[in-house]
Amino acid sequence: MYLARPPSGGAQHRVVVGHQLFGVDAAVRAFADRLAAAGCLVAVPDLYHRTAPGVELTQDDAGRARGFELLHALDRDEAVGDVAEAVDVLGGDPARVSMVGLSMGGHVAYLAAARLGLAATAVLYPGWLTDTRIALSRPSPTVTLTPAITGRLLFLVGGDDHVVPPADVSTVGAALRDAGVRHEIVVYPDTPHAFLLPGPPTYRPGPATDAWQRILDLVTS
């Protein structure tokens, strides 16, 4: 687990970060550090610690292939358990902890919002919420757990996301509305998957800046 602490030492806000397919890599650690600089105590659990502890995959075809191998080995209870341990590190009260999840970590964040009673959750471009193609979404699609979400939920996605098609966004939105979950869905036009973190060609400064402010407002309010 990677921990990022505010420069002042004290922290009024506590946040779990769910990493992308590539592990707790430099980009994810930098994102956690940025949240810490804004006054948050941040924990980033290594969701791969059972099969490839500490792995940092390259963002290329080989890294992506290995990431999918690790993803398919990660089941729902294990992932939620890792988030629960991070919540314990942050003080133990999920009602005072928020979570930000990126891609695969966004799927985990949606699960954690439903299973752990988090205060607020920012879910960025999460794949496979509406089907059972990965172990995280079994035995029933993760979207079916929506009625158990008690905190606020922010859903951020690009309009050109090949992993999260518009039909999935509509399905999730309908589930959130039907369940009465306090939520906001933001779709950034002409924006691909994984637009938030600098580095890969999918990074988009405009949507990333807007998303960062929305995330910060959510986790510090």
Side-chain angles (χ1 to χ4, degrees):
M1 189 178 301
Y2 179 75
L3 293 177
R5 293 180 170 85
S8 63
Q12 184 177 358
H13 311 291
R14 299 166 189 272
V15 183
V16 178
V17 170
H19 64 75
Q20 303 179 107
L21 188 69
F22 306 100
V24 187
D25 60 12
V28 170
R29 295 194 299 271
F31 178 72
D33 292 343
R34 189 179 182 191
L35 285 169
C40 302
L41 178 62
V42 185
V44 190
D46 179 2
L47 300 171
Y48 296 151
H49 69 90
R50 296 170 186 84
T51 49
V55 68
E56 297 184 37
L57 301 172
T58 53
Q59 296 198 32
D60 55 19
D61 289 344
R64 196 168 288 105
R66 177 57 174 152
F68 275 109
E69 290 177 357
L70 297 172
L71 169 62
H72 286 299
L74 179 63
D75 73 28
R76 179 175 284 180
D77 289 339
E78 290 172 345
V80 173
D82 289 344
V83 176
E85 289 187 13
V87 170
D88 286 343
V89 169
L90 297 176
D93 183 359
R96 298 185 61 189
V97 175
S98 300
M99 184 167 181
V100 181
L102 312 174
S103 192
M104 179 193 86
H107 193 127
V108 173
Y110 204 99
L111 282 169
R115 295 273 294 269
L116 300 178
L118 300 174
T121 308
V123 179
L124 284 88
Y125 35 86
W128 310 289
L129 290 178
T130 64
D131 58 53
T132 57
R133 284 183 289 168
I134 61 173
L136 288 173
S137 58
R138 299 181 194 131
S140 60
T142 296
V143 71
T144 63
L145 303 178
T146 301
I149 297 174
T150 56
R152 294 167 295 152
L153 190 132
L154 174 65
F155 190 104
L156 304 175
V157 66
D160 291 341
D161 193 316
H162 68 287
V163 180
V164 191
D168 283 14
V169 179
S170 296
T171 298
V172 173
L176 291 166
R177 288 192 300 274
D178 291 347
V181 176
R182 294 168 293 166
H183 72 280
E184 181 180 15
I185 295 178
V186 180
V187 179
Y188 297 100
D190 304 317
T191 300
H193 188 74
F195 63 82
L196 182 71
L197 302 185
T202 53
Y203 172 65
R204 294 294 184 273
T209 298
D210 182 82
W212 165 256
Q213 190 58 57
R214 291 176 186 273
I215 291 166
L216 194 60
D217 289 346
L218 181 76
V219 302
T220 60
S221 62

